[in-house]
Amino acid sequence: MKELLIIAISSALVSNVVLSQFLGICSFVGVSKKVETAAGMGGAVVFVITIASIVASVIYRFVLDPLGLDYLKTIVFILVIAALVQIVEMFLKKCMVSLYNALGVFLPLITTNCAVLGVALNNVQYGYTFVESVVNGVGTAIGYTISIVLLAGIRERIEGNDIPESFQGSPIVLVTAGLMAIAFFGFSGLL
Amino acid sequence: MNKYTERIYNGIWKENPIFVQMLGLCPTLAVTTSAINGLGMGLSTTAVLVAANFLISILRNVIPGRVRLPGEIVVVASLVTVVDMLLEGFVPSIYSALGIYIPLIVVNCIILGRAESFAMKNKPLISAFDGIGMGLGFTIALMLIGAFRELLGAGTIFGAQVLPSSFQPISIFILAPGAFFVLSILTALQNKLKAPSATNGAAQKKGQITGCSGDCLHCAGHDQVKAE
């Protein structure tokens, strides 16, 4: 139990997926103009990463590893993730219309989000068991959501401020992200 | 300048993937802690890019339109696996320094972007040259950013001491926040100089230079506009 807690805290806060591993930067900067859309993206990412880490972990443990096909993991994982996002999208559209309307537009964006593939590969690299992989996946996704919602909140606040002309747009967002990364360094004392 | 050297000039200068198109930000931020890591990542990506452009261009009339993207992804992922194994076998130091970012070359938008926008429409040889140009442009940019961060963060370039030992290294530049600061200053300079870059609108107008309309930031933000 203690190990699981450590994995969850370390994946969500200490080695935050965006601010210290730089995965999913595109959507982090692109979809963080408003808190609501950022939260929607965060929800979609939690959803997809959780399912993807379950499926990737099952495939790795029961197919790739026993057959000695470890080297195929990159190809298999990316295809599984791409197919998974499609299936999830179709399933939601058919069966859970309200959730689909909430997440819909963000789902296709997630296929190219390197965080999903990154989590699947990290699980293999660290030799996590099935339960540990799922905890790591959920933790990472929550870490992503925390940081994108925080960034969106800060961006809403600084929007009306007097920013130097050349820093308007992406530069000031990146400065903000840098300061957040410094703040997240503080969490390394947690473990 | 014939059409082959023109592709290389285009990749290195006119449509430089990092400085102009702002593609592939994840590796740009993550592996540029030193010049040598930047160089290693750049060359690995170049190898994948050249081979992927060449193969996809050969297969462009064979792959059915409906499974175009999955087909391209399989080609790219296979090539990345090969590069991954070669690095593990021959340059283990770079392999361990780059770690998970090597398999993540698969989701680098430069590669799928060039496959979609160039290799799918052109002959194999010129597509390979396009890959060389884009790859070199990416490598040079990563190496420059890496050298800059290494110089400020450790006082060295390629591991050789450059600044006098009295210089106190600003170690934040080789840590995670430094990556954001360096990139923000780079984009701010581009805004200031009104240089053509995806972040200040000049390149967006040209549009369609890559599969995802020029840059990831714009691409993700574009869907958001539609959502609101």
Side-chain angles (χ1 to χ4, degrees):
Chain A
M1 197 59 218
K2 201 180 152 205
E3 284 86 52
L4 293 184
L5 197 66
I6 290 178
I7 291 175
I9 292 178
S10 114
S11 58
L13 299 174
V14 179
S15 55
N16 184 284
V17 63
V18 190
L19 297 172
S20 87
Q21 297 189 62
F22 306 109
L23 302 178
I25 290 285
C26 294
S27 59
F28 181 66
V29 178
V31 200
S32 58
K33 276 210 185 88
K34 285 211 168 82
V35 173
E36 292 94 66
T37 41
M41 185 68 191
V45 166
V46 171
F47 197 71
V48 172
I49 287 191
T50 308
I51 299 176
S53 52
I54 293 173
V55 174
S57 166
V58 166
I59 289 181
Y60 186 76
R61 288 184 70 78
F62 294 104
V63 182
L64 295 181
D65 204 24
L67 296 177
L69 295 174
D70 184 64
Y71 59 89
L72 282 181
K73 62 178 187 290
T74 313
I75 306 176
V76 172
F77 286 174
I78 186 75
L79 288 179
V80 165
I81 289 166
L84 199 70
V85 174
Q86 290 277 309
I87 294 170
V88 167
E89 197 181 350
M90 284 193 274
F91 175 78
L92 289 182
K93 204 173 184 177
K94 204 85 184 155
C95 304
M96 301 159 99
V97 182
S98 58
L99 189 59
Y100 175 77
N101 289 336
L103 304 183
V105 281
F106 300 115
L107 283 173
L109 284 181
I110 294 175
T111 323
T112 49
N113 189 331
C114 30
V116 186
L117 183 61
V119 172
L121 291 169
N122 265 338
N123 286 339
V124 170
Q125 204 178 7
Y126 298 147
Y128 284 158
T129 62
F130 176 71
V131 181
E132 286 172 341
S133 304
V134 177
V135 171
N136 185 37
V138 176
T140 306
I142 291 176
Y144 176 88
T145 311
I146 293 174
S147 45
I148 197 173
V149 171
L150 282 178
L151 179 71
I154 299 173
R155 281 182 76 173
E156 281 188 2
R157 287 291 295 256
I158 60 177
E159 200 163 325
N161 288 10
D162 189 18
I163 302 163
E165 200 185 330
S166 34
F167 271 88
Q168 282 168 11
S170 357
I172 194 72
V173 179
L174 290 165
V175 171
T176 314
L179 293 174
M180 282 171 69
I182 295 180
F184 270 66
F185 263 153
F187 288 119
S188 54
L190 272 177
L191 293 181
Chain B
M1 206 169 359
N2 70 29
K3 63 178 181 176
Y4 296 108
T5 48
E6 192 274 327
R7 287 326 301 168
I8 291 179
Y9 167 74
N10 182 60
I12 294 177
W13 189 254
K14 227 171 83 199
E15 287 182 15
N16 185 297
I18 291 182
F19 293 143
V20 181
Q21 299 186 55
M22 287 282 162
L23 289 175
L25 286 184
C26 301
T28 311
L29 292 165
V31 302
T32 52
T33 48
S34 68
I36 189 78
N37 285 354
L39 183 67
M41 184 70 194
L43 291 180
S44 317
T45 311
T46 307
V48 175
L49 198 52
V50 175
N53 263 5
F54 187 69
L55 284 177
I56 288 169
S57 176
I58 290 178
L59 297 171
R60 71 187 188 282
N61 297 324
V62 185
I63 304 176
R66 289 172 72 184
V67 292
R68 202 180 67 238
L69 274 176
E72 288 168 6
I73 290 177
V74 173
V75 172
V76 175
S78 321
L79 292 166
V80 170
T81 309
V82 173
V83 168
D84 189 73
M85 287 166 152
L86 287 175
L87 285 179
E88 190 178 6
F90 292 104
V91 263
S93 60
I94 292 278
Y95 179 79
S96 56
L98 298 181
I100 192 181
Y101 297 100
I102 301 168
L104 284 177
I105 296 176
V106 181
V107 280
N108 190 328
C109 11
I110 300 169
I111 294 172
L112 272 188
R114 291 326 286 179
E116 271 286 282
S117 68
F118 200 87
M120 269 302 191
K121 295 171 194 148
N122 290 285
K123 293 211 170 75
L125 194 60
I126 189 127
S127 300
F129 271 89
D130 182 69
I132 296 174
M134 284 290 156
L136 287 180
F138 187 64
T139 310
I140 291 170
L142 280 192
M143 209 170 66
L144 285 179
I145 298 176
F148 183 69
R149 285 180 66 189
E150 195 185 338
L151 181 70
L152 290 177
T156 58
I157 288 182
F158 283 109
Q161 190 74 34
V162 177
L163 293 177
S165 51
S166 59
F167 170 75
Q168 179 73 40
I170 315 165
S171 53
I172 197 156
F173 276 100
I174 48 174
L175 298 171
F180 287 111
F181 292 141
V182 169
L183 197 69
S184 76
I185 295 197
L186 181 67
T187 45
L189 277 177
Q190 286 169 334
N191 280 351
K192 182 83 190 164
L193 301 172
K194 305 249 183 312
S197 157
T199 51
N200 59 19
Q204 280 169 22
K205 285 196 198 88
K206 280 192 286 171
Q208 299 93 45
I209 37 179
T210 58
C212 59
S213 84
D215 78 311
C216 295
L217 304 182
H218 177 64
C219 173
H222 184 66
D223 280 5
Q224 181 195 7
V225 175
K226 276 193 288 183
E228 275 161 7

